[in-house]
Amino acid sequence: MERTNAGEIAGGRAARVSAITDGGRGPGSGPGAPGPTGPGALTAADRERQRGVRRMKGIATGALLLMAVIFGLATWAGNSGAGAWTGYVAAAAEAGMVGALADWFAVTALFRRPMGLPIPHTAIIPTKKDQLGQSLGDFVGENFLSSDVVRTRLRAVGIGSRLGGWLAEPAHAERVTAELSTALRGALAVLRDTDVQAVVGEAVTRRADAQEIAPGLGSMLERVVADHGHRRVVDLVCVRAADWLEEHGDSVMDAVAGGAPGWTPRFVDRKVGERVYRELLRFVTEMRDMPDHPARGAVDRFLTDFAADLQTDPETRAKVERLKSEVLGRPEVQQLIASAWGAVRSMIVAAAEDEGSELRVRARSALLSLGQRLAGDDRLQGKVDTWVEDAAVYVVTTYRDEITSLITETVASWDAEHTSKKIEAHIGRDLQFIRINGTVVGALAGLAIHTVAHLLGG
């Protein structure tokens, strides 16, 4: 009767261990579970852990055999009349054996079927791997991917203050600048020039087609004329025209003479050509040297009227739009727009590679300035913390199901046998201590029960 009670206590202990692990919250979901890459072939570290597990199994099994030997000797001594003490020793040894066997069953049932018997609720990890993965995903989603948890944790970290203090160090700012430069060069290297050129060309053309340019040109021309900004252009044209006429007088006279009727005498054609050349040269020279020349005023009036027509005259605006479309449609213009990307790309890559370039110097200075402001401005720190919190909360609330399904699907894709072996390699050593503890606790419980029963029985 006394030995039966001890066995029931040890058996109840084993049942509780089995019930806990069967609920999906046992060692399979603890820190020893395989990583997200899945358990493949056992690594050298896993094999070393397995050797440690085997050693602990030997010790636990040795404790069971020791209890069996003690029980046998105590029973033999009691039957031989050695004394009442043998009953205490036999009760302790028997309860120790029951505790050891019960815990052996509970531990073994986690990874395989004990002795290959199809006992219900055994081989829990291989058979309920998918349920454990689902439970792990739900646990992570409920306890780690909630908005309150994320906000509380990030607020305690103080990202704005830490980031500011870190960036305020010149070495750190230089490191970030170098990393950004490397990332920029990598991004530009990945992009295909033809694709970018096509996108740039299409964007420029579409933007130009969608925007009427005549009113803008008219407004700009009106301001230029009002500020007399066009006069330098007129001066330049007059100077270049006068110089050209002085150098190419014969060409002008030949052109005039060549356009005369065939029946006129040549000397008359020559005289007319010389007259036209002198008058033309005089006109251009006077216009060059006289700021108040009537022709200059005519140019001013023409440009003023043209600026007004560009803004208000429908016919003029329509002509400008047609001209714009013709210009943009020319292959040379499209090639020029597309080739601009190559120049920009080369310029950016060169600036990113040169540590002393203006781009990197300005980026480094901007990062240092940002770090100093973040380190000393509580208001800015609060803004950064809020931005980070909002972004993190958006991610976890929007993609919580995707994250937890990743855990669940990854665990489901693992091989059951490899998963069981890998988990056992990680936590099996600790589980063998359960068997040893069960042996010791069972023996003490059996001894206590036998003692109490003996005292009550008188």
Side-chain angles (χ1 to χ4, degrees), residues 230-391:
H230 67 293
R231 291 185 177 179
R232 292 185 179 181
V233 178
V234 175
D235 292 340
L236 178 62
V237 172
C238 292
V239 170
R240 294 297 297 170
D243 293 342
W244 188 88
L245 287 173
E246 291 176 356
E247 294 176 5
H248 301 86
D250 293 339
S251 298
V252 175
M253 288 185 288
D254 290 342
V256 174
W263 50 267
T264 58
R266 287 187 175 275
F267 75 91
V268 174
D269 296 340
R270 186 68 179 176
K271 290 293 183 179
V272 172
E274 291 176 355
R275 178 71 176 180
V276 170
Y277 170 71
R278 286 195 301 271
E279 290 298 324
L280 183 60
L281 181 60
R282 181 185 61 80
F283 174 79
V284 173
T285 304
E286 289 178 353
M287 189 174 178
R288 179 194 63 186
D289 298 335
M290 297 172 58
D292 297 330
H293 194 278
R296 286 179 175 266
V299 171
D300 293 347
R301 289 190 297 273
F302 168 76
L303 292 177
T304 302
D305 294 340
F306 184 58
D309 290 342
L310 285 173
Q311 297 180 73
T312 60
D313 182 43
E315 184 177 354
T316 303
R317 293 169 61 174
K319 288 181 180 179
V320 172
E321 287 302 307
R322 285 195 298 270
L323 178 61
K324 178 191 72 175
S325 299
E326 292 175 2
V327 171
L328 289 176
R330 295 188 63 82
E332 298 88 348
V333 176
Q334 290 296 318
Q335 183 63 30
L336 177 63
I337 294 173
S339 63
W341 162 248
V344 173
R345 178 181 178 276
S346 300
M347 180 183 65
I348 294 176
V349 170
E353 291 176 348
D354 184 6
E355 295 184 2
S357 67
E358 188 68 17
L359 176 64
R360 292 188 61 161
V361 170
R362 287 182 177 273
R364 188 162 48 247
S365 299
L367 289 172
L368 281 171
S369 176
L370 176 62
Q372 293 167 358
R373 287 189 59 196
L374 272 175
D377 190 340
D378 294 339
R379 182 169 171 269
L380 184 58
Q381 291 175 12
K383 285 186 176 181
V384 172
D385 290 342
T386 301
W387 293 337
V388 173
E389 291 172 14
D390 291 342

Side-chain angles (χ1 to χ4, degrees), residues 383-404:
K383 285 186 176 181
V384 172
D385 290 342
T386 301
W387 293 337
V388 173
E389 291 172 14
D390 291 342
V393 168
Y394 173 80
V395 171
V396 298
T397 54
T398 304
Y399 301 103
R400 179 189 292 122
D401 293 339
E402 286 78 0
I403 297 173
T404 56

